[in-house]
C-alpha cells in the first residue's frame, strides 16, 4: 500500500508561489523571445536557455505536488518525493515512536527520520512494516 506524503500548509503556499513565479517568468521569456524577432543570436540562445531552465524548475515543482508517497516493497520503505527517491531498509529499523503527534522511525545506527503521513494511517503503516520485521518496537508517547 502507498501512503501519501503530507505537506504542511506553509509548504503548499510556497509551492503555489513558486509555480506562480515560474509561470510568470515563462510567459515573460516567451513574450520577449517572440516580440524581439530581430534579436542577436546570443540573445535568442540566452532566452531559450532561460525558458528551458524555468521549464525544468517547473517540472520539479509539479512532480513534488503529484508524486509524493511512501511505499512498502518487500523489505524496503521507498519515499518518492517528486524526482527524488529515498530507500530505507526495514531490517535496519529498531523502533517506531509517536512523539508530539509525529511518527518517528529509529534505525539501528542511531539515525532517525520522521514519517510524514496523515495521523490516521500511523497504525496501518507501522503494522505493515512490522509484518516484514516483527522485532520492531512500536511505542506511543503522545
Amino acid at each position: 500500500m502507498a501512503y501519501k506524503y503530507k505537506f504542511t500548509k506553509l509548504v503548499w503556499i510556497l509551492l503555489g508561489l513558486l509555480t506562480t513565479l515560474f509561470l510568470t517568468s515563462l510567459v515573460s521569456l516567451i513574450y520577449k523571445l517572440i516580440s524581439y524577432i530581430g534579436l542577436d543570436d546570443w540573445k535568442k540562445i540566452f532566452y531559450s536557455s532561460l525558458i528551458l531552465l524555468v521549464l525544468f524548475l517547473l517540472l520539479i515543482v509539479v512532480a513534488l505536488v503529484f508524486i509524493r508517497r511512501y511505499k512498502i516493497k518487500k523489505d524496503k520503505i521507498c519515499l518518492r518525493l517528486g524526482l527524488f527517491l529515498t530507500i530505507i531498509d526495514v531490517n535496519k529499523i529498531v523502533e517506531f515512536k509517536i512523539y508530539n503527534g509525529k511518527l518517528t522511525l529509529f534505525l539501528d545506527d542511531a539515525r532517525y527520520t520522521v514519517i510524514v503521513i496523515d495521523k490516521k494511517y500511523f497504525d496501518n503503516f507501522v503494522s505493515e512494516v512490522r509484518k516484514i520485521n516483527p522485532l520492531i518496537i512500536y511505542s506511543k508517547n503522545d
Side-chain angles (χ1 to χ4, degrees), residues 33 36-49:
L33 190 63
Y36 302 122
I37 299 289
L39 288 176
D40 298 336
D41 286 341
W42 71 271
K43 284 187 180 181
K44 288 179 187 176
I45 293 170
F46 176 73
Y47 284 127
S48 299
S49 300

Side-chain angles (χ1 to χ4, degrees), residues 112-123:
Y112 69 93
T113 187
V114 176
I115 304 296
V116 188
I117 58 175
D118 198 325
K119 290 179 184 181
K120 64 184 176 185
Y121 298 118
F122 284 0
D123 292 334

Side-chain angles (χ1 to χ4, degrees), residues 18-83:
L18 280 174
T19 302
T20 304
L21 175 69
F22 292 151
L23 288 174
T24 305
S25 300
L26 188 63
V27 169
S28 173
L29 289 168
I30 291 172
Y31 173 76
K32 285 182 181 180
L33 190 63
I34 291 172
S35 65
Y36 302 122
I37 299 289
L39 288 176
D40 298 336
D41 286 341
W42 71 271
K43 284 187 180 181
K44 288 179 187 176
I45 293 170
F46 176 73
Y47 284 127
S48 299
S49 300
L50 284 178
I51 289 171
L52 290 175
L53 176 65
V54 170
L55 282 172
F56 176 72
L57 293 173
L58 188 60
L59 173 72
I60 290 174
V61 171
V62 170
L64 281 173
V65 169
F66 290 108
I67 305 171
R68 53 189 175 93
R69 68 180 175 275
Y70 290 93
K71 195 161 191 172
I72 301 167
K73 297 180 180 179
K74 296 182 184 174
D75 60 345
K76 307 270 188 244
I77 298 173
C78 301
L79 168 60
R80 170 70 66 181
L81 195 55
L83 304 174

